[in-house]
Amino acid sequence: YNILCGRKEICEECPVAKCYVSGSPETAVMSINDNIILDVRTIPIKNNHGEISGVIEISRDITTENMIENKLRDNEAKFRAVADSSIALITIYQNGKVIFLNSASEKVTGYSRHELVSMNFWEIIHPDFKDKVRELGAARLQGKQVPDHFEFMIIKKSGETRWLDFGIGMIQ
């Protein structure tokens, strides 16, 4: 702890000290000198009598991973702020299900966020347009050239129909 952390005493979170006390493996995420973040894992070494004779400590520098995760969270928060302030429907659709939608999606369809996420995307498309939308979606997934914009009707929760000018893009 003196060499690694620059401390004269063992820190409260020290997984090695905890491992000696508990006799079980311990884990901790520790910040060293406010600029290095370590994932620390310890395993007790026991002698033939079951007494702890030592501890193996494995530390992995996760500073870069942590910075990337923080940037990803920040970018996701920015995306959500932009998407939720948009009057256009923004929906991310994957494997037949909606995995993201903004608040405009609720306003336009009349369905709640929970309802939209739990239902199949095809359920709101007007029957006259289901085949065409499926064909375009399948062609896009196969890498074929399809229009980026097209119009089709949906059926709102109220039963009312509504035209959408639909723009589509692939997220890799």
Side-chain angles (χ1 to χ4, degrees):
Y1 52 87
N2 189 14
I3 295 171
L4 184 61
C5 300
R7 296 184 177 141
K8 297 194 189 246
E9 299 95 30
I10 295 174
C11 61
E12 287 182 32
E13 314 88 42
C14 180
V16 173
K18 286 183 176 181
C19 188
Y20 270 109
V21 172
S22 71
S24 300
E26 297 286 341
T27 62
V29 174
M30 303 181 69
S31 179
I32 308 298
N33 299 328
D34 294 328
N35 62 352
I36 298 173
I37 301 171
L38 298 176
D39 175 16
V40 182
R41 298 170 186 265
T42 61
I43 303 167
I45 301 170
K46 296 183 180 181
N47 62 22
N48 293 339
H49 305 291
E51 300 162 335
I52 299 172
S53 59
V55 172
I56 296 172
E57 177 182 343
I58 302 167
S59 297
R60 187 171 62 92
D61 185 343
I62 60 169
T63 307
T64 302
E65 288 175 40
N66 191 273
M67 287 182 352
I68 291 168
E69 286 173 7
N70 287 339
K71 285 182 182 179
L72 183 61
R73 269 192 296 277
D74 290 347
N75 287 339
E76 184 177 336
K78 289 174 187 173
F79 167 77
R80 286 184 185 278
V82 169
D84 278 337
S85 65
S86 174
I87 60 171
L89 279 72
I90 299 175
T91 306
I92 299 176
Y93 171 77
Q94 184 178 37
N95 299 326
K97 294 286 182 187
V98 174
I99 61 169
F100 172 84
L101 53 91
N102 66 345
S103 55
S105 301
E106 295 176 88
K107 291 175 188 161
V108 170
T109 66
Y111 289 98
S112 71
R113 185 177 302 252
H114 177 73
E115 289 171 314
L116 286 167
V117 170
S118 64
M119 62 196 300
N120 190 304
F121 175 73
W122 306 108
E123 292 176 48
I124 66 168
I125 296 176
H126 191 280
D128 293 348
F129 294 89
K130 283 185 183 184
D131 289 341
K132 183 65 175 170
V133 173
R134 279 192 180 147
E135 286 172 22
L136 289 169
R140 180 171 286 281
L141 289 174
Q142 293 170 2
K144 296 179 182 174
Q145 290 288 79
V146 295
D148 288 337
H149 284 86
F150 50 95
E151 293 180 348
F152 63 89
M153 271 197 290
I154 63 166
I155 302 174
K156 295 175 61 168
K157 185 175 183 175
S158 65
E160 175 187 354
T161 58
R162 182 167 189 158
W163 281 98
L164 292 184
D165 178 14
F166 190 72
I168 189 168
M170 291 281 290
I171 299 173
Q172 298 296 327

